[in-house]
């Protein structure tokens, strides 16, 4: 299972552990991922996504999954998130055409 956020695309970073005597050894900084059920307002469905804690806070700030995912770039999103994005865009286009 890949350690990558499905919405922001953030993954492991590489750096150094630095000891008291200033000896540097390689280490990995892993993202803090959670499996969360997120609700789409326009689709009326819940989706289980593996996202970082920072992405979860961003979802709250932007106003939900729909508002975030429509503006997100496809390169950052996972395949499952791209599928959700297509469904949300189609649903919003249908609602705009009906109004």
């Amino acid at each position: 299972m890949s350690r990558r956020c499905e919405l922001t695309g953030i993954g492991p970073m590489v750096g150094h552990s630095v000891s008291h005597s200033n000896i540097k050894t390689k280490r990995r900084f892993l993202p803090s991922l959670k499996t969360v059920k997120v609700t789409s307002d326009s689709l009326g469905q819940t989706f289980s996504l593996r996202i970082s804690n920072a992405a979860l806070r961003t979802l709250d700030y932007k106003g939900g999954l729909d508002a975030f995912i429509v503006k997100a770039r496809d390169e950052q999103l996972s395949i499952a998130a791209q599928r959700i994005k297509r469904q949300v865009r189609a649903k919003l286009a249908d609602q705009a055409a009906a109004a």
Side-chain angles (χ1 to χ4, degrees):
M1 183 179 293
S2 151
R3 287 205 163 263
R4 192 161 293 277
C5 176
E6 293 192 58
L7 294 181
T8 59
I10 193 165
M13 294 189 297
V14 179
H16 288 104
S17 287
V18 181
S19 69
H20 178 69
S21 62
N22 207 24
I23 296 173
K24 296 168 185 71
T25 57
K26 286 275 199 174
R27 64 160 291 187
R28 293 178 72 199
F29 294 94
L30 299 176
S32 177
L33 297 178
K34 277 187 179 177
T35 302
V36 179
K37 291 187 179 182
V38 186
T39 304
S40 169
D41 295 330
S42 63
L43 298 176
Q45 295 179 0
T46 60
F47 299 98
S48 181
L49 297 173
R50 194 159 186 237
I51 62 176
S52 64
N53 292 335
L56 188 59
R57 289 196 309 270
T58 304
L59 284 180
D60 290 339
Y61 176 75
K62 298 282 185 179
L65 178 67
D66 297 341
F68 176 84
I69 208 164
V70 168
K71 292 183 180 178
R73 295 188 319 213
D74 286 340
E75 300 88 39
Q76 294 177 337
L77 299 175
S78 68
I79 295 171
Q82 289 177 9
R83 193 173 302 126
I84 296 169
K85 181 177 180 177
R86 281 194 299 270
Q87 291 175 355
V88 168
R89 276 198 169 161
K91 186 72 168 186
L92 292 176
D94 289 343
Q95 289 175 355

Coordinates of all heavy atoms in Angstrom, one line a residue:
M1 N 0.8 -1.2 0.0 CA 0.0 0.0 0.0 C 0.9 1.2 0.0 O 1.8 1.4 0.8 CB -0.9 0.0 1.2 CG -1.9 1.1 1.3 SD -2.9 1.1 2.7 CE -3.9 -0.4 2.4
S2 N 0.6 2.1 -0.9 CA 1.4 3.3 -1.1 C 1.1 4.3 0.0 O 0.0 4.6 0.4 CB 1.1 3.9 -2.4 OG 1.3 5.3 -2.5
R3 N 2.2 5.0 0.5 CA 2.0 6.0 1.6 C 1.9 7.3 0.9 O 2.8 8.1 0.9 CB 3.2 6.0 2.5 CG 3.2 4.8 3.5 CD 3.9 5.2 4.7 NE 3.6 4.2 5.8 CZ 2.7 4.5 6.7 NH1 2.0 5.6 6.7 NH2 2.5 3.6 7.7
R4 N 0.7 7.6 0.3 CA 0.5 8.8 -0.4 C -0.9 9.2 -0.2 O -1.8 8.4 -0.2 CB 0.8 8.5 -1.9 CG 0.8 9.8 -2.7 CD 1.5 9.6 -4.1 NE 2.9 9.3 -4.0 CZ 3.9 10.2 -3.8 NH1 3.6 11.5 -3.7 NH2 5.1 9.8 -3.8
C5 N -1.1 10.5 0.0 CA -2.4 11.1 0.3 C -3.2 11.1 -1.1 O -2.7 11.4 -2.1 CB -2.3 12.5 0.8 SG -3.9 13.3 1.0
E6 N -4.5 10.6 -1.0 CA -5.2 10.5 -2.2 C -5.7 11.8 -2.8 O -6.1 12.0 -3.9 CB -6.4 9.6 -2.0 CG -6.0 8.2 -1.7 CD -7.2 7.2 -1.8 OE1 -7.9 7.1 -2.8 OE2 -7.4 6.5 -0.8
L7 N -5.8 12.9 -1.9 CA -6.2 14.2 -2.4 C -5.1 15.2 -2.7 O -5.2 15.9 -3.7 CB -7.2 14.8 -1.3 CG -8.5 14.0 -1.1 CD1 -9.3 14.8 -0.1 CD2 -9.3 13.9 -2.4
T8 N -4.1 15.2 -1.9 CA -3.0 16.2 -2.1 C -1.8 15.6 -2.7 O -1.0 16.3 -3.2 CB -2.6 16.8 -0.7 OG1 -2.1 15.8 0.1 CG2 -3.8 17.6 -0.1
G9 N -1.7 14.3 -2.7 CA -0.5 13.6 -3.4 C 0.7 13.7 -2.6 O 1.8 13.3 -3.1
I10 N 0.7 14.1 -1.3 CA 1.9 14.2 -0.5 C 2.4 12.8 -0.2 O 1.6 11.9 0.1 CB 1.6 15.1 0.7 CG1 3.0 15.4 1.4 CG2 0.7 14.4 1.7 CD1 2.9 16.5 2.4
G11 N 3.7 12.6 -0.2 CA 4.2 11.3 0.0 C 5.4 11.4 1.0 O 5.7 12.5 1.6
P12 N 6.2 10.3 1.1 CA 7.4 10.4 2.0 C 8.4 11.3 1.5 O 8.6 11.5 0.3 CB 7.9 8.9 2.0 CG 6.8 8.1 1.4 CD 6.0 9.0 0.6
M13 N 9.1 12.0 2.5 CA 10.2 12.9 2.2 C 11.5 12.3 2.8 O 11.4 11.5 3.8 CB 9.9 14.3 2.7 CG 8.8 14.9 2.0 SD 8.6 16.7 2.3 CE 8.3 16.7 4.0
V14 N 12.6 12.7 2.3 CA 13.9 12.1 2.8 C 14.7 13.3 3.5 O 14.6 14.4 3.0 CB 14.7 11.5 1.6 CG1 16.0 11.0 2.1 CG2 13.9 10.4 1.0
G15 N 15.3 12.9 4.6 CA 16.1 13.9 5.3 C 17.2 13.2 6.1 O 17.5 12.1 5.8
H16 N 17.7 13.9 7.1 CA 18.8 13.4 7.9 C 18.3 13.4 9.4 O 17.6 14.3 9.8 CB 20.0 14.2 7.8 CG 20.7 14.1 6.6 ND1 20.7 15.1 5.6 CD2 21.5 13.1 6.1 CE1 21.4 14.7 4.6 NE2 21.9 13.5 4.8
S17 N 18.7 12.3 10.1 CA 18.7 12.3 11.5 C 20.0 12.9 12.0 O 21.0 12.4 11.5 CB 18.5 10.9 12.1 OG 17.1 10.5 11.9
V18 N 20.0 13.9 12.8 CA 21.3 14.5 13.2 C 21.5 14.3 14.7 O 20.6 14.6 15.5 CB 21.3 16.0 12.9 CG1 22.6 16.7 13.3 CG2 21.0 16.3 11.5
S19 N 22.6 13.6 15.0 CA 22.9 13.3 16.4 C 23.5 14.5 17.1 O 23.7 15.5 16.5 CB 23.8 12.1 16.4 OG 25.1 12.5 16.0
H20 N 23.7 14.3 18.4 CA 24.3 15.4 19.2 C 25.7 15.7 18.7 O 26.1 16.8 18.8 CB 24.3 14.9 20.7 CG 25.0 15.9 21.6 ND1 24.4 17.1 21.9 CD2 26.1 15.9 22.2 CE1 25.2 17.8 22.7 NE2 26.2 17.1 22.9
S21 N 26.4 14.7 18.2 CA 27.8 14.9 17.7 C 27.8 15.3 16.2 O 28.8 15.2 15.6 CB 28.6 13.6 17.9 OG 28.1 12.6 17.2
N22 N 26.6 15.6 15.7 CA 26.4 16.1 14.3 C 26.7 15.1 13.2 O 27.0 15.4 12.1 CB 27.2 17.4 14.1 CG 26.6 18.3 13.0 OD1 25.4 18.2 12.8 ND2 27.5 19.0 12.3
I23 N 26.5 13.8 13.6 CA 26.6 12.7 12.6 C 25.2 12.6 11.9 O 24.2 12.5 12.6 CB 26.9 11.4 13.2 CG1 28.3 11.5 13.8 CG2 26.9 10.3 12.2 CD1 28.7 10.3 14.7
K24 N 25.2 12.6 10.6 CA 24.0 12.6 9.8 C 23.7 11.2 9.2 O 24.6 10.7 8.6 CB 24.0 13.7 8.7 CG 24.1 15.1 9.3 CD 24.4 16.1 8.2 CE 24.6 17.4 8.8 NZ 25.8 17.6 9.6
T25 N 22.5 10.7 9.4 CA 22.1 9.4 8.8 C 20.8 9.6 8.1 O 20.0 10.4 8.6 CB 22.0 8.3 9.9 OG1 21.1 8.7 10.9 CG2 23.3 8.0 10.5
K26 N 20.6 8.9 7.0 CA 19.4 9.1 6.2 C 18.2 8.6 7.0 O 18.3 7.6 7.7 CB 19.5 8.3 4.9 CG 20.4 8.9 3.9 CD 19.7 10.0 3.1 CE 20.4 10.2 1.8 NZ 19.7 11.1 0.9
R27 N 17.1 9.3 6.8 CA 15.8 8.8 7.3 C 14.7 9.3 6.4 O 14.9 10.1 5.6 CB 15.6 9.3 8.7 CG 15.5 10.8 8.8 CD 14.8 11.3 10.1 NE 13.4 10.9 10.1 CZ 12.6 11.3 11.0 NH1 12.9 12.1 12.0 NH2 11.3 11.0 10.9
R28 N 13.5 8.7 6.7 CA 12.3 9.0 5.9 C 11.3 9.7 6.8 O 11.0 9.2 7.9 CB 11.7 7.8 5.2 CG 12.5 7.2 4.2 CD 11.9 5.9 3.7 NE 10.8 6.3 2.8 CZ 9.8 5.5 2.5 NH1 9.8 4.2 3.0 NH2 8.8 5.9 1.7
F29 N 10.7 10.8 6.3 CA 9.6 11.4 7.0 C 8.3 11.0 6.3 O 8.0 11.4 5.2 CB 9.7 13.0 6.9 CG 10.9 13.5 7.6 CD1 12.1 13.7 6.9 CD2 10.8 13.8 9.0 CE1 13.2 14.2 7.6 CE2 11.9 14.3 9.6 CZ 13.1 14.5 8.9
L30 N 7.5 10.1 7.0 CA 6.3 9.6 6.4 C 5.1 10.5 6.7 O 5.0 11.1 7.8 CB 6.0 8.2 7.0 CG 7.1 7.2 6.7 CD1 6.7 5.9 7.4 CD2 7.2 6.9 5.2
P31 N 4.2 10.7 5.8 CA 3.0 11.6 6.0 C 2.1 10.9 7.0 O 2.0 9.7 7.1 CB 2.4 11.7 4.6 CG 2.8 10.5 3.9 CD 4.2 10.1 4.4
S32 N 1.4 11.7 7.7 CA 0.4 11.2 8.7 C -0.9 11.0 8.0 O -1.7 11.9 7.7 CB 0.2 12.3 9.8 OG -0.7 11.9 10.7
L33 N -1.2 9.7 7.7 CA -2.3 9.3 6.9 C -3.4 8.7 7.8 O -3.1 8.0 8.7 CB -1.9 8.3 5.8 CG -1.0 8.8 4.7 CD1 -0.7 7.7 3.8 CD2 -1.5 10.0 4.0
K34 N -4.7 9.0 7.4 CA -5.8 8.4 8.1 C -6.8 7.9 7.0 O -6.9 8.5 6.0 CB -6.6 9.5 8.9 CG -6.0 9.7 10.2 CD -7.0 10.7 10.9 CE -6.5 11.0 12.3 NZ -7.3 11.9 13.0
T35 N -7.5 6.8 7.3 CA -8.6 6.4 6.4 C -9.8 7.0 7.0 O -10.2 6.8 8.1 CB -8.7 4.8 6.5 OG1 -7.4 4.3 6.0 CG2 -9.8 4.4 5.5
V36 N -10.4 7.9 6.1 CA -11.6 8.7 6.6 C -12.7 8.5 5.6 O -12.5 8.4 4.4 CB -11.2 10.2 6.6 CG1 -12.3 11.1 7.0 CG2 -10.0 10.4 7.5
K37 N -13.9 8.5 6.1 CA -15.1 8.5 5.2 C -15.5 9.9 5.0 O -15.9 10.6 6.0 CB -16.2 7.6 5.8 CG -15.9 6.2 5.8 CD -17.1 5.4 6.3 CE -16.7 3.9 6.3 NZ -17.8 3.0 6.6
V38 N -15.5 10.4 3.8 CA -15.9 11.7 3.4 C -17.1 11.7 2.6 O -17.3 10.9 1.7 CB -14.7 12.4 2.6 CG1 -15.0 13.8 2.4 CG2 -13.4 12.2 3.3
T39 N -18.0 12.7 2.9 CA -19.3 12.7 2.3 C -19.3 13.8 1.2 O -18.9 14.9 1.4 CB -20.4 13.1 3.3 OG1 -20.4 12.2 4.3 CG2 -21.8 13.1 2.6
S40 N -19.9 13.4 0.0 CA -20.0 14.3 -1.1 C -21.5 14.9 -1.0 O -22.4 14.1 -1.1 CB -19.8 13.6 -2.4 OG -20.2 14.4 -3.5
D41 N -21.6 16.2 -1.0 CA -22.9 16.8 -0.9 C -23.7 16.6 -2.1 O -24.9 16.3 -2.1 CB -22.8 18.3 -0.5 CG -22.2 18.4 0.9 OD1 -22.4 17.6 1.8 OD2 -21.5 19.5 1.1
S42 N -23.1 16.8 -3.3 CA -23.8 16.8 -4.5 C -24.2 15.4 -4.9 O -25.3 15.1 -5.5 CB -23.0 17.4 -5.7 OG -21.8 16.7 -5.9
L43 N -23.4 14.4 -4.6 CA -23.7 13.0 -5.0 C -24.5 12.3 -3.9 O -25.2 11.3 -4.2 CB -22.4 12.2 -5.2 CG -21.5 12.7 -6.4 CD1 -20.2 11.9 -6.4 CD2 -22.2 12.6 -7.7
G44 N -24.4 12.7 -2.7 CA -25.1 12.1 -1.6 C -24.5 10.8 -1.2 O -25.2 9.9 -0.7
Q45 N -23.2 10.6 -1.4 CA -22.5 9.3 -1.1 C -21.4 9.6 -0.2 O -20.9 10.7 -0.1 CB -22.0 8.7 -2.4 CG -23.0 8.2 -3.4 CD -22.3 7.6 -4.6 OE1 -21.1 7.6 -4.7 NE2 -23.1 7.2 -5.5
T46 N -20.9 8.6 0.5 CA -19.7 8.7 1.3 C -18.7 7.8 0.7 O -18.9 6.8 0.1 CB -20.0 8.2 2.8 OG1 -20.4 6.8 2.7 CG2 -21.0 9.0 3.5
F47 N -17.4 8.3 0.7 CA -16.3 7.7 0.1 C -15.2 7.5 1.1 O -15.0 8.4 2.0 CB -15.7 8.5 -1.1 CG -16.7 8.8 -2.2 CD1 -17.4 9.9 -2.2 CD2 -16.9 7.8 -3.1 CE1 -18.3 10.2 -3.3 CE2 -17.8 8.0 -4.2 CZ -18.5 9.2 -4.2
S48 N -14.6 6.3 1.1 CA -13.5 6.0 2.1 C -12.2 6.4 1.4 O -11.8 5.7 0.4 CB -13.6 4.6 2.5 OG -12.5 4.3 3.4
L49 N -11.5 7.4 1.9 CA -10.2 7.8 1.3 C -9.1 7.8 2.3 O -9.4 8.0 3.5 CB -10.4 9.2 0.7 CG -11.3 9.5 -0.4 CD1 -11.5 11.0 -0.7 CD2 -10.9 8.7 -1.6
R50 N -7.9 7.5 1.9 CA -6.7 7.6 2.8 C -6.0 8.9 2.5 O -5.3 9.1 1.6 CB -5.8 6.4 2.4 CG -4.8 6.2 3.5 CD -4.3 4.7 3.3 NE -3.4 4.5 4.4 CZ -2.1 4.1 4.3 NH1 -1.6 3.9 3.1 NH2 -1.4 3.9 5.3
I51 N -6.3 9.9 3.5 CA -5.8 11.2 3.3 C -4.9 11.6 4.5 O -5.0 11.1 5.6 CB -6.9 12.2 3.0 CG1 -7.9 12.3 4.2 CG2 -7.7 11.9 1.8 CD1 -8.9 13.3 4.1
S52 N -4.1 12.7 4.3 CA -3.3 13.2 5.4 C -4.2 14.1 6.3 O -5.2 14.5 5.9 CB -2.1 14.0 4.8 OG -2.6 15.1 4.1
N53 N -3.6 14.3 7.5 CA -4.4 15.1 8.4 C -4.4 16.6 7.9 O -5.4 17.2 8.2 CB -3.7 15.1 9.8 CG -3.8 13.7 10.5 OD1 -4.7 13.0 10.2 ND2 -2.9 13.4 11.3
A54 N -3.4 17.0 7.2 CA -3.4 18.4 6.7 C -4.5 18.5 5.6 O -5.2 19.5 5.5 CB -2.1 18.7 6.1
A55 N -4.7 17.4 4.8 CA -5.8 17.4 3.8 C -7.2 17.5 4.5 O -8.1 18.1 3.9 CB -5.6 16.3 2.9
L56 N -7.3 16.8 5.6 CA -8.6 16.8 6.3 C -8.9 18.2 6.8 O -10.0 18.6 6.7 CB -8.5 15.8 7.4 CG -9.7 15.5 8.2 CD1 -10.8 14.9 7.3 CD2 -9.5 14.5 9.3
R57 N -7.9 18.9 7.3 CA -8.1 20.2 7.8 C -8.5 21.1 6.6 O -9.3 22.0 6.7 CB -6.9 20.8 8.5 CG -6.7 20.1 9.9 CD -5.8 20.9 10.7 NE -4.5 21.2 10.1 CZ -3.4 20.5 10.1 NH1 -3.4 19.3 10.7 NH2 -2.3 20.8 9.5
T58 N -7.8 20.9 5.4 CA -8.1 21.7 4.2 C -9.5 21.5 3.7 O -10.2 22.4 3.3 CB -7.1 21.3 3.1 OG1 -5.8 21.5 3.6 CG2 -7.3 22.2 1.9
L59 N -10.0 20.2 3.8 CA -11.4 19.9 3.4 C -12.4 20.7 4.3 O -13.3 21.3 3.8 CB -11.7 18.4 3.6 CG -11.2 17.5 2.5 CD1 -11.6 16.1 2.9 CD2 -11.7 17.9 1.2
D60 N -12.1 20.8 5.6 CA -13.0 21.6 6.5 C -12.9 23.1 6.1 O -13.9 23.8 6.1 CB -12.6 21.4 7.9 CG -12.9 20.1 8.4 OD1 -13.8 19.4 7.8 OD2 -12.3 19.7 9.4
Y61 N -11.7 23.6 5.8 CA -11.5 25.0 5.4 C -12.2 25.4 4.1 O -12.9 26.4 4.0 CB -10.0 25.3 5.4 CG -9.7 26.7 4.9 CD1 -9.9 27.8 5.8 CD2 -9.2 27.0 3.7 CE1 -9.6 29.1 5.4 CE2 -8.9 28.3 3.3 CZ -9.1 29.3 4.2 OH -8.8 30.6 3.8
K62 N -12.1 24.5 3.1 CA -12.6 24.8 1.8 C -14.1 24.6 1.7 O -14.8 25.1 0.8 CB -12.0 23.9 0.7 CG -10.5 24.1 0.6 CD -10.2 25.3 -0.3 CE -8.7 25.4 -0.5 NZ -8.3 26.5 -1.3
G63 N -14.7 23.9 2.7 CA -16.2 23.7 2.7 C -16.6 22.3 2.2 O -17.8 22.2 1.7
G64 N -15.8 21.3 2.3 CA -16.3 20.0 2.0 C -15.5 19.4 0.8 O -14.7 20.0 0.1
L65 N -15.8 18.1 0.5 CA -15.2 17.4 -0.5 C -15.4 18.0 -1.9 O -14.5 18.1 -2.7 CB -15.6 15.9 -0.5 CG -15.0 15.0 -1.6 CD1 -13.5 14.8 -1.3 CD2 -15.7 13.6 -1.5
D66 N -16.6 18.3 -2.2 CA -17.0 18.8 -3.5 C -16.2 20.1 -3.9 O -15.7 20.2 -5.0 CB -18.5 19.1 -3.7 CG -19.3 17.8 -3.5 OD1 -18.7 16.7 -3.6 OD2 -20.5 17.9 -3.2
A67 N -16.2 21.0 -3.0 CA -15.5 22.3 -3.3 C -14.0 22.1 -3.4 O -13.4 22.7 -4.3 CB -15.7 23.3 -2.1
F68 N -13.4 21.1 -2.7 CA -12.0 20.9 -2.8 C -11.6 20.2 -4.1 O -10.7 20.5 -4.8 CB -11.5 20.1 -1.6 CG -10.1 19.7 -1.6 CD1 -9.1 20.6 -1.2 CD2 -9.7 18.5 -2.1 CE1 -7.7 20.2 -1.3 CE2 -8.3 18.1 -2.2 CZ -7.4 19.0 -1.8
I69 N -12.4 19.1 -4.4 CA -12.0 18.2 -5.4 C -12.2 18.8 -6.8 O -11.5 18.5 -7.8 CB -12.7 16.8 -5.3 CG1 -11.9 15.7 -5.9 CG2 -14.1 16.9 -5.9 CD1 -12.3 14.4 -5.4
V70 N -13.2 19.7 -6.9 CA -13.4 20.3 -8.3 C -12.2 21.2 -8.6 O -11.9 21.3 -9.8 CB -14.7 21.1 -8.2 CG1 -14.9 22.0 -9.4 CG2 -15.9 20.2 -8.1
K71 N -11.6 21.9 -7.7 CA -10.5 22.8 -8.0 C -9.2 22.1 -7.9 O -8.2 22.7 -8.3 CB -10.5 24.0 -7.0 CG -11.7 24.9 -7.1 CD -11.7 26.0 -6.2 CE -12.9 26.9 -6.4 NZ -12.9 28.0 -5.4
A72 N -9.1 20.9 -7.5 CA -7.8 20.2 -7.4 C -7.3 19.8 -8.8 O -8.1 19.5 -9.7 CB -8.0 18.9 -6.5
R73 N -6.0 19.7 -8.9 CA -5.4 19.3 -10.2 C -5.4 17.8 -10.2 O -5.2 17.1 -9.2 CB -3.9 19.8 -10.3 CG -3.8 21.3 -10.3 CD -2.4 21.8 -10.6 NE -1.5 21.0 -9.9 CZ -0.3 21.5 -9.4 NH1 0.0 22.7 -9.6 NH2 0.5 20.7 -8.7
D74 N -5.5 17.2 -11.4 CA -5.6 15.8 -11.6 C -4.3 15.1 -11.3 O -4.3 13.9 -10.9 CB -6.0 15.5 -13.1 CG -7.5 15.8 -13.3 OD1 -8.3 15.8 -12.3 OD2 -7.9 15.9 -14.5
E75 N -3.2 15.8 -11.4 CA -1.9 15.1 -11.1 C -1.7 14.8 -9.7 O -1.0 13.8 -9.3 CB -0.7 16.1 -11.5 CG -0.7 16.4 -13.0 CD -1.5 17.7 -13.3 OE1 -1.5 18.6 -12.5 OE2 -2.1 17.7 -14.4
Q76 N -2.4 15.6 -8.8 CA -2.3 15.3 -7.4 C -3.2 14.2 -6.9 O -2.9 13.5 -5.9 CB -2.6 16.6 -6.6 CG -1.7 17.7 -6.8 CD -2.1 18.9 -6.0 OE1 -3.2 19.1 -5.7 NE2 -1.1 19.8 -5.7
L77 N -4.3 14.0 -7.6 CA -5.4 13.1 -7.1 C -5.0 11.7 -7.5 O -4.4 11.4 -8.5 CB -6.7 13.5 -7.8 CG -7.3 14.9 -7.4 CD1 -8.5 15.1 -8.2 CD2 -7.5 15.0 -6.0
S78 N -5.5 10.8 -6.7 CA -5.4 9.3 -7.0 C -6.4 9.0 -8.0 O -7.3 9.8 -8.4 CB -5.6 8.5 -5.7 OG -6.9 8.6 -5.3
I79 N -6.4 7.7 -8.5 CA -7.3 7.3 -9.6 C -8.7 7.3 -9.0 O -9.7 7.7 -9.7 CB -6.9 5.9 -10.1 CG1 -5.6 6.0 -10.8 CG2 -8.0 5.3 -11.0 CD1 -5.0 4.7 -11.2
A80 N -8.9 6.9 -7.8 CA -10.2 6.9 -7.1 C -10.8 8.3 -7.0 O -11.9 8.6 -7.2 CB -10.2 6.2 -5.8
A81 N -9.9 9.2 -6.6 CA -10.3 10.6 -6.4 C -10.6 11.2 -7.8 O -11.5 12.1 -7.8 CB -9.2 11.4 -5.7
Q82 N -9.9 10.9 -8.8 CA -10.2 11.4 -10.1 C -11.6 10.9 -10.6 O -12.3 11.7 -11.2 CB -9.2 11.0 -11.2 CG -7.8 11.7 -11.0 CD -6.8 11.2 -11.9 OE1 -7.1 10.4 -12.8 NE2 -5.5 11.6 -11.7
R83 N -11.9 9.7 -10.3 CA -13.2 9.1 -10.6 C -14.3 9.9 -9.9 O -15.4 10.2 -10.4 CB -13.3 7.6 -10.2 CG -14.4 6.9 -10.8 CD -14.3 5.4 -10.5 NE -13.1 4.8 -11.1 CZ -12.2 4.1 -10.4 NH1 -12.4 3.9 -9.1 NH2 -11.1 3.7 -11.0
I84 N -14.1 10.2 -8.6 CA -15.1 11.0 -7.8 C -15.2 12.4 -8.4 O -16.3 12.9 -8.5 CB -14.6 11.1 -6.3 CG1 -14.7 9.7 -5.7 CG2 -15.5 12.0 -5.5 CD1 -14.0 9.6 -4.3
K85 N -14.1 13.0 -8.8 CA -14.1 14.3 -9.4 C -15.0 14.4 -10.7 O -15.7 15.3 -10.9 CB -12.7 14.8 -9.7 CG -12.6 16.2 -10.3 CD -11.2 16.6 -10.5 CE -11.1 17.9 -11.1 NZ -9.7 18.4 -11.3
R86 N -14.8 13.3 -11.5 CA -15.6 13.3 -12.8 C -17.1 13.2 -12.4 O -18.0 13.8 -13.1 CB -15.2 12.1 -13.6 CG -13.9 12.4 -14.4 CD -13.7 11.3 -15.5 NE -13.6 10.0 -15.0 CZ -12.5 9.4 -14.6 NH1 -11.3 10.1 -14.7 NH2 -12.4 8.2 -14.1
Q87 N -17.5 12.4 -11.4 CA -18.9 12.2 -11.0 C -19.4 13.5 -10.5 O -20.6 13.9 -10.8 CB -19.0 11.1 -10.0 CG -18.8 9.7 -10.5 CD -18.8 8.7 -9.4 OE1 -18.9 9.0 -8.2 NE2 -18.7 7.4 -9.7
V88 N -18.7 14.2 -9.7 CA -19.1 15.5 -9.1 C -19.3 16.5 -10.2 O -20.3 17.2 -10.2 CB -18.1 16.0 -8.0 CG1 -18.4 17.4 -7.6 CG2 -18.2 15.1 -6.8
R89 N -18.3 16.6 -11.1 CA -18.4 17.6 -12.2 C -19.7 17.3 -13.0 O -20.4 18.2 -13.4 CB -17.2 17.6 -13.0 CG -16.1 18.4 -12.5 CD -15.1 18.7 -13.6 NE -14.2 19.7 -13.2 CZ -13.0 19.9 -13.7 NH1 -12.6 19.2 -14.7 NH2 -12.2 20.9 -13.3
A90 N -19.9 16.0 -13.4 CA -21.1 15.7 -14.2 C -22.4 16.1 -13.4 O -23.3 16.6 -14.0 CB -21.1 14.2 -14.5
K91 N -22.4 15.8 -12.1 CA -23.6 16.1 -11.3 C -23.9 17.6 -11.3 O -25.0 18.1 -11.4 CB -23.5 15.5 -9.9 CG -24.7 15.6 -9.1 CD -25.8 14.7 -9.6 CE -26.9 14.6 -8.6 NZ -27.9 13.6 -8.9
L92 N -22.8 18.4 -11.1 CA -22.9 19.8 -11.0 C -23.3 20.4 -12.3 O -24.1 21.4 -12.4 CB -21.6 20.4 -10.5 CG -21.2 20.2 -9.1 CD1 -19.9 20.7 -8.7 CD2 -22.3 20.7 -8.1
A93 N -22.8 19.8 -13.4 CA -23.2 20.3 -14.8 C -24.7 20.0 -15.1 O -25.4 20.8 -15.6 CB -22.4 19.6 -15.8
D94 N -25.2 18.8 -14.6 CA -26.6 18.5 -14.7 C -27.5 19.5 -13.9 O -28.5 19.9 -14.4 CB -26.9 17.1 -14.3 CG -26.3 16.0 -15.3 OD1 -26.0 16.4 -16.4 OD2 -26.2 14.9 -14.8
Q95 N -27.0 19.8 -12.7 CA -27.8 20.7 -11.9 C -27.8 22.1 -12.5 O -28.8 22.8 -12.5 CB -27.2 20.8 -10.5 CG -27.5 19.5 -9.7 CD -26.8 19.6 -8.3 OE1 -26.0 20.5 -8.0 NE2 -27.0 18.5 -7.5
A96 N -26.7 22.5 -13.1 CA -26.6 23.9 -13.7 C -27.5 23.9 -15.0 O -28.1 24.9 -15.3 CB -25.2 24.2 -14.1
A97 N -27.6 22.8 -15.7 CA -28.4 22.8 -17.0 C -29.9 22.7 -16.6 O -30.7 23.3 -17.3 CB -28.0 21.5 -17.8
A98 N -30.2 22.1 -15.5 CA -31.6 22.0 -15.1 C -32.1 23.4 -14.5 O -33.3 23.7 -14.6 CB -31.8 21.0 -14.0
A99 N -31.2 24.2 -14.0 CA -31.6 25.4 -13.4 C -31.8 26.6 -14.4 O -31.7 26.5 -15.5 CB -30.6 25.9 -12.3

